[in-house]
Amino acid sequence: MAKNGVNLTMFFLFIITYCYWESHVKLADFITTSPNPIHLIKDVFILAGQSNMAGRGGVIERNWDGIVPPEIQSSPGKILRLGGDLNWEDAEEPLHADIDVNKTCGVGPGMAFANALIDGDPRRFPVVGLVPCAIGGSGIDEWSRGGRLYERLVRRAAVAVERGGEIRAVLWFQGERDTINITDAESYKGKLQRLYIDLRTDLNSPLLPVIQVALASGEGSYVEKVREAQLGIQLPNVITVDAKGLQLQPDGLHLSTQAQVQVGEMMAHAYTTFRLLSLVTGIN
């Protein structure tokens, strides 16, 4: 009888210890102290487009103010970026500093996106890998298959998944350059759809989610024409968040730091909602 009592006591101690561990210790805590969190990256996101994806938040007269709100703070071991040298490292703003090298980079939507994923579900997203590819001032023609920007994106994406990760989505914010003349604006929809189809083919993911941003501004007078094209994309698993009305920098073209935080969080919400619906419906 005494022996049974000891066994029962040990059993309850085990249950209590396990419950404490379950409620107080997160998987991410172990990952942070892991000597090599790179091997734990399973969720990879491609960041592509032009300057508002590369990040100009806080940049005034070619100088970044260095302000980093809580929503875009670095999270060592939990949010990583693939650097320009094709090595993984802890992510921090400016994410595109060694990618969009001919411009001054500031805050973009990437860190807000990653932090929102982790904060929303740290067990599902213990480590997020970001692959910056955006280049300021690039038009849609420069992203066509065979072009330098397209081929670099595909090459960087391939490196990002070499150790077992999976590309979960492409985050796309571009089009400001294509508002300058009517010909570019009118042909934008077809070229954008072609880009998404080609990327899905070359990244070996026929239904790869694309989270795109409808423009808040443009370099020319055909902003609404390009927005109409973006909002009219009719491909599966293309989700649009709208930046119209968000705060702009004094240049009237680039999103402010706070607006970039909003865009990143909207993109994260769009992705997690899409993922939940996919799980419920069984459709990828």
Side-chain angles (χ1 to χ4, degrees):
M1 184 72 179
K3 184 177 180 180
N4 289 339
V6 171
N7 289 339
L8 192 60
T9 300
M10 293 298 293
F11 174 75
F12 280 115
L13 283 173
F14 172 79
I15 294 296
I16 292 170
T17 302
Y18 176 80
C19 290
Y20 178 86
W21 180 89
E22 182 72 11
S23 61
H24 288 77
V25 181
K26 297 179 180 177
L27 177 60
D29 294 331
F30 291 100
I31 290 170
T32 302
T33 59
S34 168
N36 192 6
I38 294 170
H39 293 289
L40 299 167
I41 300 174
K42 298 301 180 187
D43 301 299
V44 175
F45 296 89
I46 309 297
L47 314 180
Q50 58 179 109
S51 55
N52 271 317
M53 176 57 81
R56 299 293 186 265
V59 176
I60 299 177
E61 295 182 355
R62 300 182 181 180
N63 292 303
W64 179 45
D65 60 18
I67 296 174
V68 179
E71 299 92 339
I72 59 173
Q73 292 285 340
S74 61
S75 189
K78 300 178 186 179
I79 304 176
L80 304 181
R81 70 182 285 274
L82 190 69
D85 60 358
L86 299 180
N87 289 310
W88 288 105
E89 61 188 15
D90 286 322
E92 62 180 10
E93 295 289 4
L95 277 178
H96 281 76
D98 62 347
I99 302 297
D100 192 13
V101 295
N102 294 320
K103 305 288 179 63
T104 301
C105 292
V107 174
M111 287 298 291
F113 171 84
N115 273 309
L117 289 186
I118 290 175
D119 291 345
D121 192 348
R123 292 182 182 278
R124 172 61 187 83
F125 299 103
V127 180
V128 170
L130 302 176
V131 183
C133 298
I135 296 294
S138 56
I140 192 66
D141 285 335
E142 296 175 78
W143 288 95
S144 61
R145 180 190 259 167
R148 178 178 61 87
L149 300 186
Y150 181 94
E151 296 303 324
R152 185 176 71 162
L153 184 158
V154 172
R155 184 169 61 253
R156 287 175 58 75
V159 171
V161 297
E162 280 180 346
R163 304 188 185 186
E166 183 173 341
I167 298 171
R168 302 298 184 185
V170 172
L171 310 186
W172 177 258
F173 194 167
Q174 189 275 337
E176 294 91 344
R177 181 63 178 271
D178 297 282
T179 66
I180 295 175
N181 69 67
I182 187 62
T183 302
D184 289 340
E186 288 182 338
S187 63
Y188 187 82
K189 181 178 179 180
K191 292 175 180 178
L192 186 61
Q193 288 192 154
R194 183 74 258 166
L195 170 64
Y196 293 162
I197 292 169
D198 288 342
L199 281 175
R200 287 171 167 175
T201 299
D202 292 337
L203 298 180
N204 300 310
S205 183
L207 292 175
L208 179 67
V210 176
I211 315 297
Q212 64 171 2
V213 183
L215 295 183
S217 60
E219 297 180 43
S221 57
Y222 298 103
V223 174
E224 287 306 317
K225 180 66 72 174
V226 173
R227 280 178 49 81
E228 179 183 324
Q230 294 169 329
L231 296 169
I233 294 293
Q234 296 179 343
L235 293 175
N237 298 356
V238 174
I239 304 101
T240 305
V241 301
D242 199 342
K244 187 174 184 178
L246 296 183
Q247 184 183 53
L248 299 174
Q249 296 278 91
D251 62 11
L253 177 62
H254 298 109
L255 296 182
S256 69
T257 293
Q258 190 54 46
Q260 289 284 19
V261 170
Q262 291 174 266
V263 169
E265 291 179 342
M266 286 192 295
M267 296 181 97
H269 177 73
Y271 174 74
T272 53
T273 301
F274 164 80
R275 178 177 168 274
L276 179 61
L277 289 173
S278 297
L279 292 173
V280 170
T281 61
I283 300 174
N284 292 320

